[in-house]
Amino acid sequence: MPMLELNDVHAYYGNIHALKGISITVEEGEIVTLIGANGAGKTTTLRTITGLLKPRTGSVILDGEDLAPYPAHKIVYKGVAMVPEGRGIFSKLTVRENLDMGAFSRSDVDGIKQDLERAYELFPRLKERESQISGTLSGGEQQMLATARALMARPRLMLMDEPSMGLAPVLVESVFDIIQEINKEGTTILLVEQNAHMALQIAQRGYVLQTGEIVLSDSADGLRKDPMVQKAYLGME
Amino acid sequence: MKKLFEKIEYIDLFLWLIRAAIIIIVIWGTVATILDNPYSTRQWTDFVIFGVAQGSMYALIAIGYTLVYGVLFMINFAHGEFFMSGIMTSTVFIAGPMAATGFLNRHPIISLLIIALFSMLVSVGVAILTERIAYKPLRKAPRLVPLITAIGASLFWQNFYRGMLGSNVKPFPQFDILAGSIPLLGTQVLKTHIAVVLVTIIMLIGLNFFIMRTKTGKSIRAVSEDKDVAALMGIDVDRAITITFATGAAMAGIAGVLFALVFRQVHFFMGFTPGIKAFTAAVLGGIGSVPGAAIGGLFLGLFESIGPSLFLQSLGIPAFNQLKDVIAFIMLVLVLIFRPQGILGEPLAEKKA
Ligand SMILES: Nc1ncnc2c1ncn2[C@@H]1O[C@H](COP(=O)(O)OP(=O)(O)OP(=O)(O)O)[C@@H](O)[C@H]1O
Ligand SMILES: [Mg+2]
């Protein structure tokens, strides 16, 4: 049984038909990537998984259970965390308070403490800035915070929406290193990226999204060799 | 294009002229008053103490406006009625009977606690009902809609209380332990004023702890920044909004008790003026900011109590003391013109409404 399954999902913003029958599966332990141009529907796909946007038809199934009846804040309790597009940190809260909010769904005090230490280990910079108002962090630090905050939920499935956006190349590398590390520790990852080059290096499989439809799905290797992908997303002729 | 620029400059010029005129009037009035010296130090101290006590009540009520604005970007014009409902109910059903049986002055502390608790509970209950029935279904409507609904809710509660409890003024019983005054700072300070200030300080400390330190308080702050991301953390946004309303109403419920202790009477329309004044205080301090509401309240209270005597008396205005309310609202207009973000607020343009 796949961990996550989207079956023929149609989603709308008012009259705008943003997802036109998306079907995706993610197996436990995988890194799966979703690539596509601006406006293809990548963020929208993640929003239907987290429950922020409900599909009009089709279903989102987690561990065999249809998520339709659950509002967004309940889905977190099922082990899904998200690093939102544009980081979405609470800029008036301190770094530490943001991490506390990441663990909002949990009540195991000891476990939270462990994960906090773990997060500071992964991102020592955050520990130095524990009590800083997070709106004053640099862009890269905010990205670290958004990732660390999602980890604080101790998710089984982590959805990441363009974690490399706006980062210097060196930082992009380290973000992807960390994604791999998180994955090795047992978290399944669905990664949305514009940076297809990097995403296909760390993912096992990928889907290509175009104007609300999946036009291609293959192993990462297969996608890298696909002429259409090479031309449109990897910038090769 | 050029024309537009010229027009803006004219408006700027006009605003600057108003600003200069006000400053000149204030300075002129102040200097004249100081030269004239019509009041003793003791009288000035009295003004300040009265201002602080009045300002404390504004501050407590202002918290509710600012908290709700923080999470919903909505001005809850029914907040004055949350303030009224608690103490009205508590006076009629608790304080009145307690005074009649003599229990009130036999066990004043217990009585006061019961009255305060009950007032708080009723205010919170009215707030939750209003939020659930009148505001929640309109969460996605354009911003003007909940504003109009709030005015409707305000009228509803006023008339509900008028209908259920009558439109006469109801006396709030005298607490013997709070009667009279004690010597302090070179003058006689009313015990009720001291009680008002102390209770306000305690409430503000408690509120600050709740908002800054507790998990629920942090979740309210998270919701006020970004509802979608808050939901992604597992925060039940609707519940957080309800708690926000309840918190503001609890503060207003306590403010109602303080109000009754000072003025010794309650009636169905008593929420109107303090409500608008507290709204002014919230805007003054920077709406959305909790410390701003406290500072704005204090500032407005002081301004109202000192302002007329300081600025207006020496300008030859005959009944300058009657201009207290006028001063408060002139101040609201001035703040909106010159510093819309208030003392501690951030520029409105930065808000992602
Ligand atoms: N809140 C909204 N209201 C109306 N339309 C929206 C809304 N959000 C997204 N859309 C539309 O839905 C489509 C898919 O948007 P989505 O944000 O999912 O794209 P994306 O693939 O994440 O793009 P990007 O790479 O730019 O982030 C776009 O055409 C967009 O204009
Ligand atoms: Mg996107």
Side-chain angles (χ1 to χ4, degrees):
Chain A
M1 182 176 68
M3 182 178 223
L4 177 73
E5 206 181 334
L6 272 69
N7 291 322
D8 195 25
V9 166
H10 287 261
Y12 291 76
Y13 292 106
N15 292 325
I16 300 168
H17 195 173
L19 299 184
K20 303 164 185 160
I22 301 281
S23 296
I24 287 178
T25 57
V26 179
E27 300 288 339
E28 178 135 31
E30 276 189 312
I31 300 182
V32 174
T33 184
L34 203 58
I35 54 183
N38 292 121
K42 305 180 298 291
T43 299
T44 308
T45 305
L46 296 189
R47 284 170 66 88
T48 61
I49 301 169
T50 56
L52 287 176
L53 184 69
K54 289 292 177 190
R56 190 170 293 179
T57 59
S59 56
V60 180
I61 292 170
L62 185 75
D63 301 318
E65 186 184 18
D66 193 335
L67 293 181
Y70 298 104
H73 68 267
K74 291 266 169 63
I75 289 173
V76 185
Y77 288 82
K78 301 195 169 291
V80 181
M82 167 130 124
V83 180
E85 184 170 31
R87 297 156 193 145
I89 57 161
F90 302 116
S91 56
K92 289 185 207 153
L93 272 56
T94 64
V95 168
R96 173 63 195 274
E97 285 170 338
N98 266 277
L99 296 175
D100 289 347
M101 287 298 100
F104 185 88
S105 56
R106 299 169 60 185
S107 47
D108 55 323
V109 184
D110 292 339
I112 294 174
K113 219 170 159 187
Q114 267 173 25
D115 288 356
L116 188 67
E117 272 162 30
R118 177 75 189 117
Y120 284 152
E121 234 169 75
L122 275 174
F123 306 100
R125 193 74 73 83
L126 295 182
K127 184 165 176 69
E128 288 165 30
R129 311 196 170 230
E130 192 172 26
S131 50
Q132 187 171 328
I133 298 295
S134 40
T136 62
L137 294 176
S138 77
E141 289 163 348
Q142 294 190 5
Q143 186 60 56
M144 295 176 200
L145 179 57
T147 308
R149 185 182 61 184
L151 284 174
M152 289 303 292
R154 198 178 274 189
R156 291 187 306 117
L157 172 64
M158 188 140 125
L159 312 172
M160 305 185 83
D161 199 346
E162 306 202 27
S164 72
M165 192 169 58
L167 297 187
V170 210
L171 271 178
V172 173
E173 294 255 359
S174 71
V175 164
F176 279 84
D177 284 347
I178 282 167
I179 295 173
Q180 275 183 299
E181 202 170 328
I182 293 166
N183 175 251
K184 278 206 194 85
E185 286 170 17
T187 308
T188 308
I189 289 171
L190 178 56
L191 174 66
V192 161
E193 261 303 335
Q194 299 258 353
N195 191 339
H197 186 70
M198 294 294 284
L200 289 174
Q201 265 176 26
I202 64 167
Q204 283 99 50
R205 293 189 301 116
Y207 293 86
V208 177
L209 202 56
Q210 230 168 52
T211 55
E213 285 171 289
I214 303 281
V215 290
L216 206 58
S217 91
D218 201 346
S219 68
D221 264 345
L223 287 176
R224 258 202 306 258
K225 288 180 189 132
D226 186 277
M228 190 273 277
V229 173
Q230 287 188 343
K231 189 157 181 276
Y233 303 105
L234 297 174
M236 296 191 253
E237 284 302 322
Chain B
M1 206 51 199
K2 207 170 173 196
K3 250 191 166 156
L4 190 71
F5 274 125
E6 279 170 10
K7 215 170 165 184
I8 288 173
E9 274 176 19
Y10 280 131
I11 293 171
D12 272 354
L13 189 69
F14 180 68
L15 291 180
W16 271 105
L17 282 177
I18 294 183
R19 208 186 299 214
I22 291 162
I23 291 172
I24 290 169
I25 291 175
V26 166
I27 292 178
W28 183 26
T30 309
V31 170
T33 306
I34 289 171
L35 293 181
D36 205 28
N37 199 11
Y39 297 106
S40 64
T41 321
R42 185 176 156 171
Q43 277 169 310
W44 284 118
T45 316
D46 287 344
F47 286 144
V48 170
I49 290 167
F50 185 82
V52 170
Q54 189 66 42
S56 298
M57 292 186 256
Y58 293 155
L60 282 182
I61 308 171
I63 301 281
Y65 285 102
T66 228
L67 284 177
V68 167
Y69 185 85
V71 293
L72 288 180
F73 297 104
M74 165 200 171
I75 307 293
N76 172 25
F77 278 118
H79 188 61
E81 274 52 61
F82 299 172
F83 160 82
M84 172 274 291
S85 59
I87 190 59
M88 267 288 271
T89 317
S90 205
T91 303
V92 171
F93 294 105
I94 308 280
M98 272 180 173
T101 59
F103 181 86
L104 189 94
N105 278 315
R106 269 201 309 278
H107 304 283
I109 304 287
I110 298 176
S111 306
L112 207 51
L113 284 178
I114 296 175
I115 290 168
L117 196 67
F118 192 75
S119 172
M120 224 158 89
L121 286 178
V122 173
S123 288
V124 168
V126 164
I128 291 178
L129 270 178
T130 310
E131 197 266 327
R132 281 291 153 95
I133 295 171
Y135 301 160
K136 196 175 162 202
L138 301 171
R139 199 77 34 92
K140 298 225 159 63
R143 281 223 236 162
L144 194 57
V145 175
L147 203 70
I148 294 166
T149 311
I151 294 171
S154 166
L155 288 173
F156 169 82
W157 286 115
Q158 276 174 21
N159 288 297
F160 177 83
Y161 270 86
R162 177 190 219 167
M164 299 307 277
L165 301 179
S167 46
N168 57 324
V169 171
K170 293 160 184 53
F172 185 81
Q174 167 88 55
F175 278 84
D176 290 342
I177 48 160
L178 288 176
S181 53
I182 54 171
L184 197 73
L185 303 169
T187 181
Q188 291 288 321
V189 183
L190 289 176
K191 285 185 191 165
T192 47
H193 282 169
I194 295 176
V196 165
V197 174
L198 286 182
V199 171
T200 302
I201 291 173
I202 293 170
M203 293 303 290
L204 290 180
I205 291 174
L207 177 81
N208 188 60
F209 179 82
F210 173 66
I211 298 279
M212 299 308 289
R213 295 269 176 268
T214 66
K215 192 171 171 181
T216 310
K218 286 179 209 168
S219 76
I220 288 175
R221 287 191 287 143
V223 167
S224 74
E225 270 201 57
D226 191 328
K227 291 182 187 53
D228 278 356
V229 178
L232 290 177
M233 304 291 114
I235 297 168
D236 184 340
V237 173
D238 281 332
R239 186 168 163 270
I241 290 173
T242 305
I243 294 173
T244 306
F245 271 90
T247 309
M251 294 288 151
I254 294 296
V257 177
L258 300 179
F259 199 87
L261 286 174
V262 172
F263 297 102
R264 306 254 320 274
Q265 59 181 36
V266 298
H267 57 104
F268 76 93
F269 199 61
M270 69 184 280
F272 182 74
T273 310
I276 293 201
K277 293 279 184 67
F279 168 61
T280 305
V283 173
L284 190 61
I287 193 145
S289 155
V290 175
I295 290 172
L298 199 64
F299 202 80
L300 184 65
L302 281 172
F303 204 80
E304 266 187 18
S305 99
I306 299 175
S309 315
L310 188 62
F311 315 140
L312 299 179
Q313 177 164 38
S314 301
L315 298 178
I317 295 170
F320 61 90
N321 269 321
Q322 301 305 315
L323 292 177
K324 205 176 82 171
D325 293 353
V326 175
I327 281 200
F329 296 124
I330 288 180
M331 194 135 113
L332 175 62
V333 174
L334 291 180
V335 169
L336 288 174
I337 293 176
F338 295 120
R339 198 174 155 81
Q341 73 270 37
I343 300 171
L344 291 186
E346 51 200 86
L348 284 174
E350 273 183 22
K351 284 247 159 90
K352 35 162 204 346

